C-alpha cells in the first residue's frame, strides 16, 4: 500500500510544480478561458452568436467587442483543453523572452490584427465578382486558436530551430510548420475556421517581418506599466517576468529595420523578405546547459544572480538579440534610467548605427555607450 500512497501523493505535487512553472500572463489566460467555459457550462449559456466573431455583425453594427470576446470563449471541452494545452508551452517561452507586459500587449495586438484581416478577407472573397462566397461573412468563429497560430509563427522565428515535430509523429521544416498544421486541422477536425487560422498565420508573419513595428511601444512604455502602484501586487508575483533593461525580443522582429522612415516601407530589405517570405536561419550556437530552443533567459522578479553571458556577435541577428539578456536578473529600472537609455540610444542611431542593433548592444553594455560602440564595431567587423 505504501508505494500506491507515494504515487498518489506525487501526482498533485507534480501538477503543482508544473502550474508554478507557467508565467503570470500565460497562466492568467488559461484561467480566464477555463473559467469562462465552466461558467457557460454551469449556467447553460450557448448564445455564441452574440459574442463570436461574425464579420457581417461587426461591419453592420460596428460590434468591435467581438474582436476580443471571440478569442476568450470556446465551444466544447476538447476545444478549450486543446487550445490551452497548446498555449502553455508557446506562451511560457514567449513570456520568458519578452516579459509579461509585452506578451499581454502582443496578445491584444494579435487578436486585433487577426480580426481586421479576417474581416477584410471575408468581405473581399464574399463579394468578389468571379466566385462570390457569401457564407464567409456569416461564419461565426470563436476560440483562442487564431492567436495561437500567430504565436507559433513568432516563436518559431525567435527560436531559430530548423525543424519541428508534428504531434510527435514526424518532423517538418520549421518554416512550413504552421502551414502544415493549418492543413492538418482542416482534415482532422470538424467545424474548424480556416480563415481564422489563416489570419493568425498572416499576423504572425507580419509581426515577424516588422510590419507592426510602428504599432509597438518602446521599452519606457513597458517600464511605466510595471511601475504602476495599482499593479504592484501582480509585479510581485513569482511568475511575473519584467521587461526591464531594454530587452528587445518582443518588439524587434528579425528582419525589421526600425531606423527606416514609414514612407520607406517598401525598400530593398522588405522586398528581399517578401521574396523569401519564410525565414531560413542557421541554428544558433548553444552554450553548455542552455536550452537550444530557448536562447537566453528573461528575468523573474526575486530571482538572484546574473544571467549567462551572451554569445559572440558574429552569429545572426537573432543571436544578437540574445545579448540583451545579460542584464542582471535583480535589476530595477527607474524612469530616469529608461530616459538615459533612450537618450544614449538616440546618440548611437545618430552616429549611423542601425536602431535594432544599437538597442541590443546598449542593453548588453548595461547602458554604457562606449562598450556598446565596441560591440557594434565588432559586429560590423
Amino acid at each position: 500500500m505504501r508505494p500506491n500512497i507515494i504515487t498518489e501523493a506525487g501526482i498533485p505535487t507534480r501538477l503543482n510544480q508544473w502550474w508554478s512553472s507557467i508565467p503570470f500572463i500565460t497562466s492568467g489566460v488559461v484561467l480566464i478561458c477555463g473559467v469562462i467555459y465552466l461558467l457557460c457550462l454551469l449556467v447553460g449559456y450557448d448564445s455564441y452568436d452574440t459574442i463570436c466573431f461574425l464579420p457581417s455583425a461587426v461591419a453592420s453594427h460596428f460590434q468591435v467587442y467581438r474582436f476580443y470576446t471571440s478569442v476568450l470563449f470556446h465551444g466544447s471541452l476538447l476545444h478549450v483543453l486543446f487550445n490551452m494545452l497548446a498555449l502553455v508551452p508557446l506562451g511560457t517561452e514567449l513570456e520568458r523572452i519578452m516579459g509579461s507586459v509585452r506578451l499581454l500587449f502582443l496578445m491584444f495586438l494579435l487578436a486585433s490584427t487577426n480580426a481586421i484581416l479576417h474581416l477584410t478577407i471575408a468581405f473581399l472573397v464574399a463579394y468578389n465578382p468571379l466566385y462570390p462566397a457569401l457564407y464567409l461573412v456569416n461564419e461565426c468563429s470563436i476560440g483562442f486558436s487564431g492567436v495561437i497560430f500567430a504565436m507559433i509563427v513568432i516563436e518559431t522565428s525567435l527560436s531559430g530551430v530548423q525543424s519541428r515535430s508534428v504531434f510527435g509523429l514526424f518532423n517538418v521544416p520549421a518554416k512550413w510548420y504552421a502551414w502544415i498544421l493549418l492543413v492538418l486541422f482542416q482534415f482532422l477536425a470538424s467545424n474548424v475556421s480556416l480563415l481564422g487560422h489563416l489570419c493568425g498565420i498572416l499576423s504572425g508573419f507580419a509581426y515577424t517581418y516588422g510590419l507592426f513595428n510602428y504599432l509597438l511601444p518602446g521599452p519606457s512604455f513597458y517600464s511605466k506599466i510595471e511601475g504602476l502602484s495599482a499593479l504592484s501586487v501582480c509585479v510581485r508575483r513569482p511568475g511575473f517576468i519584467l521587461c526591464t533593461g531594454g530587452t528587445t525580443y518582443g518588439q524587434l522582429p528579425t528582419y525589421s529595420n526600425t531606423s527606416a522612415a514609414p514612407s520607406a516601407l517598401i525598400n530593398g530589405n522588405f522586398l528581399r523578405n517578401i521574396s523569401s517570405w519564410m525565414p531560413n536561419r542557421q541554428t544558433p550556437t548553444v552554450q553548455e546547459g542552455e536550452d537550444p530552443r530557448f536562447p537566453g533567459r528573461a528575468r523573474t522578479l526575486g530571482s538572484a544572480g546574473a544571467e549567462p553571458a551572451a554569445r559572440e556577435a558574429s552569429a545572426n541577428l537573432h543571436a544578437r538579440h540574445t545579448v540583451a539578456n545579460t542584464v542582471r536578473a535583480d535589476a530595477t529600472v527607474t524612469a530616469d534610467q529608461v530616459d538615459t537609455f533612450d537618450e544614449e540610444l538616440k546618440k548611437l542611431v545618430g552616429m549611423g548605427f542601425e536602431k535594432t542593433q544599437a538597442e541590443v548592444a546598449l542593453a548588453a553594455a548595461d547602458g554604457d555607450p562606449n562598450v556598446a560602440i565596441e560591440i557594434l564595431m565588432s559586429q560590423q567587423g
Side-chain angles (χ1 to χ4, degrees):
M1 291 296 296
R2 192 163 188 80
N4 292 335
I5 295 175
I6 295 174
T7 302
E8 291 173 2
I11 294 176
T13 301
R14 291 174 183 175
L15 286 176
N16 182 59
Q17 291 175 345
W18 172 77
W19 180 255
S20 300
S21 67
I22 304 174
F24 183 75
I25 295 300
T26 303
S27 60
V29 172
V30 172
L31 280 175
I32 291 172
C33 291
V35 168
I36 288 177
Y37 175 75
L38 289 177
L39 288 176
C40 291
L41 199 62
L42 291 174
V43 302
Y45 180 85
D46 59 358
S47 301
Y48 294 117
D49 58 324
T50 61
I51 51 88
C52 70
F53 185 79
L54 189 61
S56 59
V58 173
S60 59
H61 302 292
F62 199 66
Q63 296 176 345
V64 182
Y65 70 88
R66 292 176 180 268
F67 284 20
Y68 312 107
T69 57
S70 62
V71 302
L72 299 177
F73 284 77
H74 292 80
S76 67
L77 179 61
L78 287 179
H79 189 197
V80 68
L81 280 178
F82 190 87
N83 278 354
M84 295 304 102
L85 289 176
L87 173 65
V88 166
L90 281 171
T92 298
E93 290 200 17
L94 288 177
E95 188 165 353
R96 287 174 179 170
I97 292 173
M98 298 179 175
S100 297
V101 176
R102 186 178 277 126
L103 178 65
L104 180 61
F105 182 86
L106 175 65
M107 289 180 175
F108 175 81
L109 177 65
L110 293 176
S112 303
T113 55
N114 287 1
I116 293 172
L117 283 172
H118 193 149
L119 185 69
T120 303
I121 296 175
F123 273 92
L124 287 177
V125 176
Y127 293 101
N128 78 87
L130 298 179
Y131 188 77
L134 295 177
Y135 70 92
L136 287 177
V137 297
N138 295 313
E139 187 178 70
C140 195
S141 304
I142 57 173
F144 206 80
S145 53
V147 177
I148 291 175
F149 266 87
M151 293 172 67
I152 288 174
V153 175
I154 296 171
E155 191 274 336
T156 300
S157 174
L158 290 177
S159 68
V161 296
Q162 295 296 309
S163 63
R164 280 288 168 87
S165 173
V166 179
F167 307 132
L169 300 177
F170 56 92
N171 291 332
V172 297
K175 63 182 181 180
W176 297 110
Y177 180 61
W179 299 104
I180 291 174
L181 288 181
L182 176 70
V183 174
L184 285 178
F185 281 127
Q186 292 304 125
F187 285 103
L188 298 178
S190 59
N191 297 325
V192 174
S193 175
L194 172 64
L195 190 53
H197 292 171
L198 175 62
C199 292
I201 294 176
L202 295 179
S203 289
F205 277 112
Y207 176 90
T208 301
Y209 282 88
L211 301 185
F212 295 160
N213 274 10
Y214 301 104
L215 302 175
L216 301 172
S220 59
F221 170 81
Y222 302 113
S223 297
K224 290 177 181 177
I225 296 296
E226 291 168 348
L228 293 176
S229 58
L231 298 180
S232 59
V233 176
C234 298
V235 174
R236 287 197 295 266
R237 296 282 297 177
F240 192 96
I241 299 175
L242 298 174
C243 309
T244 56
T247 306
T248 56
Y249 288 99
Q251 71 175 35
L252 296 174
T254 304
Y255 290 110
S256 67
N257 183 2
T258 54
S259 62
S263 60
L265 181 62
I266 308 300
N267 52 22
N269 186 42
F270 178 77
L271 293 176
R272 285 194 298 272
N273 295 339
I274 295 300
S275 64
S276 60
W277 187 243
M278 300 286 186
N280 187 13
R281 302 177 180 78
Q282 297 178 351
T283 304
T285 305
V286 180
Q287 292 182 348
E288 183 178 357
E290 188 175 88
D291 190 338
R293 294 187 63 248
F294 197 75
R297 287 173 253 171
R299 296 160 300 284
T300 305
L301 191 64
S303 61
E307 297 294 342
R311 303 183 186 89
E312 292 185 0
S314 58
N316 55 23
L317 184 55
H318 169 70
R320 290 200 292 271
H321 286 333
T322 22
V323 181
N325 276 350
T326 56
V327 184
R328 285 185 56 82
D330 55 355
T332 301
V333 176
T334 65
D336 292 339
Q337 289 174 320
V338 173
D339 292 339
T340 303
F341 184 91
D342 291 340
E343 290 176 3
E344 297 296 345
L345 177 61
K346 291 179 181 178
K347 291 179 182 179
L348 292 176
V349 174
M351 295 171 64
F353 294 111
E354 185 184 18
K355 184 179 178 181
T356 300
Q357 300 179 16
E359 190 169 3
V360 175
L362 189 60
D366 202 13
D368 190 330
N370 295 324
V371 177
I373 292 175
E374 292 181 5
I375 295 175
L376 292 167
M377 294 299 293
S378 66
Q379 291 174 358
Q380 293 181 354

